[in-house]
């Protein structure tokens, strides 16, 4: 599977633009994006199939001369390249009053590499009609399970990524896909309304279509139990996190804190903890597009840096951060392949990809049995980082009370975990020997710049404040 | 969008389609990124895109399919995608509805003092306004991002709608930081304005630097706090956005709404009764618009009156399904202020939340709460900064106790009381 014609037909124009702008800048690159999307959404009363309504198609030019970086985003590169180069020089510039206050950056490593990357996909095997019929059948099966289900939604979202990177010495292209399948029910019992969801995310449509129907019984049973959920009594508890919440913890507790553009901004306390203990000695944490196969498993990042598998925490010691081209340049380190953009119109920052705790040696059953009174916490809702001061908030969809080493039928919802990051991570006392990474997440930088991420890991036993 | 006429022409002639709509946007953005006072990145972005929809009436139902187009799309690509959309629309069996009908052409600019100004100059002026605020010892802005955006939106359909609006906004993301204490601390601030007042930006950033200095001194209280909670505009906006979303026609039609018309948000109010109007235009709000993506002209709607839900609101299609008049997708929430001056609201013991990791509002679980990163605790005599605590409450109980300040503010799409006071919150 090669990249599509939109990018291949513009490759020479990109090279010419790099050459022209190279007369004024020491480093110039062009990233081309052609990301096609499809959504199939079916619920009780409506359905739709949409294509490319959240696609990304265009180019971003990046330049530096040893001071600030300049970028120009445009939908197409073609025609009169000399005029385009002049326009870029004119428009991607700063007011004269700001010129003296620019950063100084180190030369960008532009090691020669010409390579194409592709990953198998099966999108051509399924027609829109087949996808719609599959979703409709699942929706009907869910609705038939209970009269209390007021709405059921079945959502398939496909992502078909083509990217091209051109600099003076590099020409890379990549093609890969991903599919998120999501089931949602709204369930009403008397005055109590709840929402529950299940998901299946793979790089092949066939795998998602096979997995989703198997989730129906669990989905409906969970919704029914959630109608009886009560608020958790605020307090500090022994808690076991499921892989989804483990991933949320990895993401919010330390993932954001080791994004190295935050180091440059002096916004991350982690910078001063390199080589020091930040978690229980049984903890190991990684991030990387090459660390596992999930939604953020690209071959090169939006700066043209090849995908990495970065160990962030080893035996409880913080050993490495993750960086984009600019932050690595400012810190004098090698970029780790974590430069990501929301789309071609946005800036690249240091961003997480697939972030997770490594599995341990404990059996989940033993972990539950070790708790006199506490909760097992399930499913990520949202979270918020605080990389400078290490406060953390993670919101899970629900929890199940553990009494005398056994899971009960007592559900609590919602569950807000909060605390001080080192306290939470150092309290980890058991890690299960299983491992799941879930690829349906979206991550913002602050409150914007959304990119697709996965996170996960094993179950963790820890002590944390719930409320 | 350069090719919108071509798109309209092809869609209007598409065989098998009974109607069409296209919504095109042109966005021009100029951006500056500063790191510790130094200019790190300068960006310019020019982007155009369109979403086209085709509608097919069949078997007593209506099917539709949408697809995205960009400026590089030529006639061949548009025709191919349109033909595919017709085939998809025939697979969809939704209840019939019609598109907004309007023969009056609109070409307007949302009022703003940003109109006609040079984007580079605006961005530089904002950067200088932020710099002017940094006068406090040991405090500064570690990271600053400035976005100057002009967005032109055009909607056309097969029923005569032909509307264009131009909107100007500026956005700022700033990280006030204080290095005075044993540990450096920061806050996170993000603003979007429909008009620019550089003096207000300087004042706002200076106030947030004061808060950052307070976070440096803040400690976790060593005693239980039992007092009302005061929320500021960021959190008030989140609370009301959640409440009004429940009255959206789409949610009502899909039976996902918790409350119905006639229900009370406040069963036994002991504080102020809530009156909320959804609006299209609010002065200086970046959410202001004249029409929505269907081309429906926006019409204000009172949705909560005296704590009781009196109406829903929403876009064309779901309004028709419910037999209601469409208001369009209204983006501004206007909450009526109370009669209590802020000074009076703050006179009794309270906990004023300044910086939360994010207010959590869960209508289904009747929950409001969150982790507090900076608050001021006032015991009736002294005001001290506190941190390391969280709060939670039953939303239905808490709303009964709400007291709304007399002073008002605009933040994003929120217009209403500058502060609110909530009782019956657990602080832990």
């Amino acid at each position: 599977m090669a990249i599509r014609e939109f990018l291949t037909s513009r490759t020479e124009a990109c090279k010419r633009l790099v050459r022209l702008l190279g007369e004024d800048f020491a480093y110039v690159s062009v990233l081309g994006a052609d990301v096609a999307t499809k959504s199939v959404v079916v619920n009780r009363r409506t359905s739709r199939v949409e294509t490319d309504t959240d696609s990304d198609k265009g180019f971003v030019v990046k330049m530096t001369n040893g001071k600030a970086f300049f970028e120009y985003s445009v939908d197409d590169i073609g025609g009169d390249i000399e005029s385009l180069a002049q326009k870029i020089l004119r428009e991607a510039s700063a007011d004269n009053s700001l010129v003296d206050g620019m950063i100084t950056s180190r030369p960008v490593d532009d090691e020669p590499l010409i390579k194409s990357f592709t990953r198998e996909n099966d999108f051509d095997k399924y027609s829109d009609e087949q996808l719609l019929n599959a979703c409709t059948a699942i929706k009907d099966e869910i609705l038939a399970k209970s009269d209390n289900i007021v709405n059921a939604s079945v959502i398939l979202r496909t992502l078909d990524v083509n990217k091209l990177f051109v600099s003076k010495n590099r020409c890379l292209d990549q093609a890969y896909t991903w599919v998120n399948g999501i089931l949602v029910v709204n369930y009403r019992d008397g005055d109590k309304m709840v929402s529950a969801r299940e998901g299946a995310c793979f790089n092949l449509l066939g795998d998602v279509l096979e997995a989703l129907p198997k989730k129906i019984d669990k989905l409906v049973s969970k919704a029914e139990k959630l109608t009886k959920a009560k608020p958790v009594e605020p307090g500090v508890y022994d808690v076991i996190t499921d892989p989804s919440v483990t991933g949320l913890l990895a993401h919010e507790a330390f993932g954001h804190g080791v994004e190295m553009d935050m180091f440059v901004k002096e916004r991350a306390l982690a910078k001063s903890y390199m080589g020091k203990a930040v978690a229980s000695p049984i903890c190991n944490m990684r991030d990387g597009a090459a660390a596992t196969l999930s939604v953020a498993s690209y071959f090169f990042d939006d700066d043209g840096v090849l995908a990495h598998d970065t160990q962030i925490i080893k035996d409880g010691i913080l050993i490495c951060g993750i960086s984009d081209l600019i932050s690595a340049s400012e810190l004098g380190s090698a970029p780790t392949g974590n430069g990501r953009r929301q789309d071609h119109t946005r800036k690249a920052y240091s961003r997480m990809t697939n972030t997770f705790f490594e599995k341990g040696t404990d059996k989940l059953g033993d972990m539950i049995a070790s708790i006199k009174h506490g909760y097992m916490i399930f499913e990520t809702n949202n979270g918020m980082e605080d990389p400078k001061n290490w406060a953390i908030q993670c919101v899970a969809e629900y929890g199940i009370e553990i009494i005398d080493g056994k899971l009960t039928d007592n559900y609590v919802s919602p569950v807000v975990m909060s605390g001080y990051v080192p306290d939470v991570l150092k309290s980890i006392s058991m890690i299960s020997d299983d491992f799941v990474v879930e690829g349906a997440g979206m991550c913002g930088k602050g409150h914007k710049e959304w990119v697709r991420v996965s996170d996960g890991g094993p179950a963790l036993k820890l002590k944390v404040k719930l409320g | 969008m350069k090719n919108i006429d071509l798109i309209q022409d092809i869609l209007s002639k598409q065989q098998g389609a009974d109607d069409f709509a296209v919504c095109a946007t042109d966005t021009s953005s100029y951006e500056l990124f500063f790191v510790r006072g130094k200019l790190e990145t300068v960006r310019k972005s020019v982007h155009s895109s369109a979403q086209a929809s085709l509608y097919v009436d069949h078997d007593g139902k209506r099917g539709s399919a949408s697809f995205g187009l960009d400026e590089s799309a030529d006639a061949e690509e548009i025709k191919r995608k349109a033909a595919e959309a017709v085939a998809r629309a025939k697979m969809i069996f939704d209840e019939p509805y019609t598109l907004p009908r309007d023969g009056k052409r609109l070409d307007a600019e949302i009022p703003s003092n940003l109109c006609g100004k040079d984007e580079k100059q605006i961005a530089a002026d904002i950067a200088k306004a932020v710099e002017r605020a940094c006068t406090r010892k040991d405090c500064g802005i570690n990271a600053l991002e400035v976005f100057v955006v002009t967005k032109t939106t055009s909607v056309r359909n097969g029923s005569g709608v032909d509307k264009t609006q131009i909107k100007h906004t500026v956005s700022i993301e700033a990280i006030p930081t204080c290095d005075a204490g044993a540990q450096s601390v920061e806050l996170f601030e993000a603003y979007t304005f429909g008009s620019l007042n550089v003096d207000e930006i300087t004042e706002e950033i200076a106030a947030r630097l004061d808060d950052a200095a307070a976070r440096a001194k803040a400690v976790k209280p060593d005693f239980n706090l039992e007092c009302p909670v005061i929320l500021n505009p960021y959190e008030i906006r989140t609370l009301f956005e959640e409440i009004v979303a429940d009255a959206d026609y789409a949610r009502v039609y899909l039976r996902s709404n918790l409350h119905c018309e006639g229900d009370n948000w406040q069963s036994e109010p002991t504080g102020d009764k809530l009156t909320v109007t959804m609006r299209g235009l609010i002065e200086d709000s970046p959410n202001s618009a004249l029409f929505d993506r269907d081309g429906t002209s926006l019409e204000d709607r009172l949705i909560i009156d005296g704590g009781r839900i009196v109406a829903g609101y929403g876009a064309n299609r779901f309004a028709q399904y419910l037999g209601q008049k469409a208001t369009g997708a209204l983006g501004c929430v206007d909450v009526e202020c109370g009669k209590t001056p802020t000074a009076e609201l703050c006179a009794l013991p309270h906990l004023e939340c300044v910086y939360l990791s994010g207010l959590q509002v869960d209508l289904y679980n009747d929950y409001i709460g969150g982790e507090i990163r900076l608050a001021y605790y006032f015991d009736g005599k002294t005001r001290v900064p506190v941190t390391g605590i969280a709060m939670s409450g039953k939303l239905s109980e808490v709303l009964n106790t709400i007291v709304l300040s007399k002073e008002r503010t605009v933040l994003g799409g929120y217009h209403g009381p500058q502060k609110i006071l909530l009782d019956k919150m657990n602080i832990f």
Side-chain angles (χ1 to χ4, degrees):
Chain A
M1 183 183 69
I3 58 169
R4 288 182 287 275
E5 185 264 345
F6 175 71
L7 291 179
T8 55
S9 64
R10 271 88 171 166
T11 305
E12 286 309 314
C14 291
K15 288 179 179 174
R16 181 160 160 68
L17 186 61
V18 167
R19 277 198 301 274
L20 282 171
L21 291 168
E23 293 170 9
D24 291 272
F25 289 96
Y27 174 80
V28 182
S29 69
V30 180
L31 176 78
D34 180 6
V35 180
T37 61
K38 183 181 288 184
S39 297
V40 181
V41 181
V42 174
N43 60 48
R44 179 191 275 272
R45 304 178 90 170
T46 66
S47 50
R48 65 179 193 269
V49 183
E50 295 174 342
T51 55
D52 294 335
T53 51
D54 55 351
S55 60
D56 175 26
K57 203 169 177 182
F59 299 84
V60 56
V61 185
K62 184 174 205 150
M63 304 154 285
T64 186
N65 230 347
K67 298 194 86 175
F69 286 77
F70 297 86
E71 290 195 346
Y72 190 87
S73 300
V74 63
D75 291 339
D76 203 356
I77 286 181
D80 186 348
I81 300 298
E82 283 194 19
S83 295
L84 176 61
Q86 289 304 315
K87 191 176 181 191
I88 290 170
L89 291 172
R90 198 169 54 246
E91 295 189 7
S93 63
D95 185 77
N96 286 336
S97 63
L98 300 172
V99 171
D100 290 340
M102 291 179 178
I103 60 161
T104 303
S105 55
R106 291 178 178 83
V108 175
D109 182 14
D110 189 28
E111 197 161 317
L113 184 64
I114 297 172
K115 198 163 182 180
S116 294
F117 303 88
T118 61
R119 187 178 296 134
E120 172 203 12
N121 91 67
D122 63 350
F123 286 10
D124 289 343
K125 292 182 185 168
Y126 296 89
S127 68
D128 292 338
E129 190 167 16
Q130 284 174 302
L131 298 179
L132 195 62
N133 288 343
C135 291
T136 303
I138 295 169
K139 179 259 299 180
D140 290 341
E141 192 177 337
I142 296 171
L143 288 172
K145 293 282 179 189
S146 169
D147 291 338
N148 290 345
I149 297 173
V150 295
N151 194 22
S153 300
V154 182
I155 302 158
L156 278 181
R157 291 214 167 94
T158 68
L159 185 69
D160 184 354
V161 179
N162 278 202
K163 287 196 177 175
L164 167 73
F165 180 85
V166 175
S167 63
K168 185 178 175 188
N169 297 324
R170 287 164 94 84
C171 184
L172 310 173
D173 63 69
Q174 62 182 335
Y176 62 92
T177 58
W178 192 254
V179 188
N180 286 340
I182 302 160
L183 310 179
V184 184
V185 292
N186 291 99
Y187 190 105
R188 189 186 274 277
D189 187 0
D191 287 339
K192 178 77 173 178
M193 171 92 95
V194 297
S195 180
R197 64 182 157 83
E198 284 288 328
C201 310
F202 298 99
N203 66 317
L204 298 178
L205 258 168
D207 290 345
V208 173
L209 292 173
E210 188 184 335
L212 281 178
K214 295 174 184 166
K215 308 251 179 185
I216 293 172
D217 286 339
K218 186 180 172 197
L219 175 74
V220 176
S221 165
K222 180 167 62 185
E224 186 187 358
K225 285 178 173 156
L226 284 175
T227 61
K228 295 165 182 69
K230 294 184 167 59
V232 66
E233 184 69 32
V236 177
Y237 294 96
D238 282 323
V239 160
I240 295 173
T241 57
D242 82 335
S244 169
V245 179
T246 295
L248 178 64
L249 198 61
H251 185 102
E252 302 297 348
F254 251 94
H256 281 293
V258 294
E259 291 169 337
M260 290 171 78
D261 52 353
M262 307 296 258
F263 287 18
V264 178
K265 294 168 185 167
E266 297 291 349
R267 289 197 58 204
L269 193 53
K271 185 180 178 185
S272 58
Y273 274 76
M274 282 294 168
K276 295 179 184 170
V278 293
S280 154
I282 58 174
C283 283
N284 291 282
M285 183 180 145
R286 310 185 86 87
D287 175 277
T292 188
L293 176 58
S294 194
V295 66
S297 299
Y298 46 75
F299 298 94
F300 60 84
D301 73 1
D302 291 342
D303 289 326
V305 178
L306 297 186
H308 280 48
D309 174 5
T310 306
Q311 179 140 27
I312 294 169
I313 296 174
K314 183 172 170 48
D315 302 328
I317 309 289
L318 181 61
I319 60 167
C320 193
I322 54 177
S323 60
D324 65 313
L325 186 81
I326 295 181
S327 59
S329 157
E330 291 189 68
L331 293 166
S333 59
T336 61
N338 289 80
R340 303 186 69 191
R341 302 172 189 275
Q342 176 175 310
D343 56 48
H344 79 276
T345 70
R346 313 290 296 195
K347 185 181 185 288
Y349 297 80
S350 299
R351 304 304 300 271
M352 279 175 274
T353 54
N354 310 303
T355 314
F356 52 87
F357 282 104
E358 291 179 28
K359 65 184 174 185
T361 56
D362 296 298
K363 298 291 176 199
L364 180 60
D366 294 339
M367 293 167 70
I368 294 168
S370 72
I371 292 179
K372 177 81 176 156
H373 182 230
Y375 292 91
M376 183 155 181
I377 308 299
F378 298 84
E379 293 181 14
T380 293
N381 179 300
N382 71 75
M384 193 66 193
E385 77 277 16
D386 185 19
K388 181 91 169 181
N389 302 112
W390 281 355
I392 186 173
Q393 173 172 283
C394 295
V395 184
E397 293 289 358
Y398 67 100
I400 302 177
E401 192 172 19
I402 300 169
I403 298 175
D404 292 334
K406 291 192 176 75
L407 282 170
T408 64
D409 254 352
N410 304 331
Y411 278 58
V412 289
S413 179
V415 181
V416 181
M417 297 167 44
S418 58
Y420 181 57
V421 168
D423 290 349
V424 174
L425 295 190
K426 285 179 178 171
S427 78
I428 296 171
S429 55
M430 297 176 90
I431 301 179
S432 73
D433 59 358
D434 50 2
F435 177 86
V436 178
V437 169
E438 295 186 344
M442 294 293 284
C443 168
K445 188 100 168 169
H447 296 281
K448 57 183 182 61
E449 314 295 345
W450 297 97
V451 296
R452 293 173 174 90
V453 294
S454 75
D455 44 44
L460 305 176
K461 181 187 170 189
L462 48 89
K463 204 174 260 298
V464 71
K465 183 160 72 177
L466 303 181
Chain B
M1 183 135 166
K2 283 182 209 155
N3 50 357
I4 188 168
D5 290 336
L6 177 65
I7 295 168
Q8 182 179 6
D9 186 53
I10 291 171
L11 296 182
S12 65
K13 293 173 184 164
Q14 178 59 44
Q15 274 201 339
D18 292 289
D19 214 338
F20 76 91
V22 58
C23 177
T25 56
D26 298 297
T27 308
S28 170
S29 177
Y30 180 79
E31 303 158 10
L32 297 177
F33 299 80
F34 294 86
V35 175
R36 297 179 66 74
K38 297 232 176 222
L39 184 57
E40 182 228 56
T41 301
V42 179
R43 297 194 84 255
K44 171 72 185 178
S45 174
V46 184
H47 176 52
S48 297
S49 65
Q51 292 200 15
S53 300
L54 284 165
Y55 303 84
V56 177
D57 296 324
H58 62 99
D59 306 300
K61 302 286 182 183
R62 168 158 274 210
S64 67
S66 299
F67 55 97
L69 290 165
D70 58 74
E71 223 168 43
S72 67
D74 57 15
E76 190 185 339
E77 182 183 344
I78 301 166
K79 283 178 183 172
R80 178 179 56 78
K81 286 190 165 181
E84 288 170 359
V86 167
R88 286 193 193 103
K90 287 177 179 170
M91 301 173 207
I92 305 294
F93 294 81
D94 289 342
E95 291 304 312
Y97 57 98
T98 57
L99 297 186
R101 185 172 294 279
D102 195 344
K104 206 160 55 177
R105 194 168 180 277
L106 176 75
D107 197 343
E109 194 163 18
I110 309 278
S112 167
N113 65 2
L114 295 162
C115 299
K117 289 192 179 159
D118 176 63
E119 59 188 7
K120 285 182 191 171
Q121 190 61 54
I122 294 169
D125 288 348
I126 291 171
K128 285 168 196 159
V130 171
E131 193 183 344
R132 275 197 298 276
C134 299
T135 57
R136 201 183 165 103
K137 189 171 175 283
D138 296 323
C139 292
I141 300 296
N142 266 10
L144 171 68
E145 300 185 356
V146 180
F147 299 79
V148 182
V149 179
T150 300
K151 190 170 186 174
T152 303
T153 306
S154 299
V155 179
R156 299 180 189 180
N157 73 15
S159 300
V161 166
D162 183 355
K163 297 179 181 178
T164 297
Q165 68 184 9
I166 302 171
K167 185 151 84 171
H168 303 270
T169 58
V170 292
S171 298
I172 304 168
E173 187 179 294
I175 311 296
T177 306
C178 177
D179 298 324
Q183 187 188 331
S184 177
V185 296
E186 69 172 30
L187 304 176
F188 176 92
E189 302 297 327
Y191 315 91
T192 300
F193 306 104
S195 285
L196 181 64
N197 182 331
V198 288
D199 292 335
E200 277 184 14
I201 289 173
T202 303
E203 276 174 37
E204 176 67 21
I205 295 293
R208 298 292 75 81
L209 287 168
D210 289 345
D211 287 335
R215 192 179 185 191
K217 293 179 195 158
V219 291
K220 184 175 176 171
D222 55 4
F223 54 93
N224 288 336
L225 300 182
E226 290 181 5
C227 59
V229 167
I230 289 178
L231 298 183
N232 281 298
Y234 272 108
E235 288 71 37
I236 304 173
R237 177 177 66 174
T238 301
L239 171 62
F240 283 104
E241 281 174 350
E242 290 292 331
I243 286 173
V244 301
D246 199 50
D248 188 297
Y249 288 147
R251 193 178 278 198
V252 175
Y253 180 71
L254 294 172
R255 298 168 61 186
S256 303
N257 57 313
L258 188 65
H259 292 295
C260 301
E261 210 172 299
D263 287 354
N264 282 305
W265 273 107
Q266 297 170 292
S267 52
E268 296 167 351
T270 55
D272 289 321
K273 289 186 177 176
L274 292 174
T275 296
V276 182
T277 303
M278 294 300 297
R279 296 193 192 281
L281 273 174
I282 282 180
E283 195 180 348
D284 296 339
S285 168
N287 288 26
S288 286
L290 299 168
F291 55 87
D292 68 7
R293 57 180 307 106
D294 294 328
T296 303
S297 294
L298 300 182
E299 191 174 286
D300 295 352
R301 173 76 53 88
L302 175 71
I303 61 164
I304 300 172
D305 190 8
R308 187 168 156 266
I309 302 161
V310 294
Y313 69 99
N316 169 65
R317 177 182 173 187
F318 294 105
Q320 281 186 46
Y321 284 168
L322 295 168
Q324 303 287 332
K325 185 164 188 276
T327 62
L330 298 165
C332 299
V333 185
D334 189 357
V335 180
E336 198 171 283
C337 285
K339 290 177 179 156
T340 312
T342 298
E344 197 178 311
L345 208 67
C346 298
L348 294 172
H350 65 267
L351 183 76
E352 181 179 1
C353 298
V354 173
Y355 184 42
L356 278 79
S357 52
L359 185 72
Q360 303 294 316
V361 180
D362 184 338
L363 303 189
Y364 288 173
N365 281 304
D366 197 15
Y367 175 88
I368 178 169
E371 179 234 345
I372 298 167
R373 294 182 178 175
L374 173 66
Y376 294 104
Y377 173 62
F378 179 66
D379 63 3
K381 290 178 188 164
T382 317
R383 189 171 182 256
V384 292
V386 293
T387 190
I389 50 178
M391 63 177 177
S392 68
K394 277 188 81 166
L395 181 63
S396 56
E397 286 182 2
V398 165
L399 284 179
N400 277 332
T401 71
I402 195 167
V403 181
L404 311 165
S405 77
K406 187 179 171 185
E407 297 82 358
R408 66 173 57 243
T409 192
V410 176
L411 180 73
Y414 168 75
H415 181 231
Q418 206 169 57
K419 293 183 191 292
I420 65 171
L421 182 139
L422 303 171
D423 207 351
K424 298 195 175 176
M425 295 287 286
N426 294 312
I427 303 164
F428 53 97

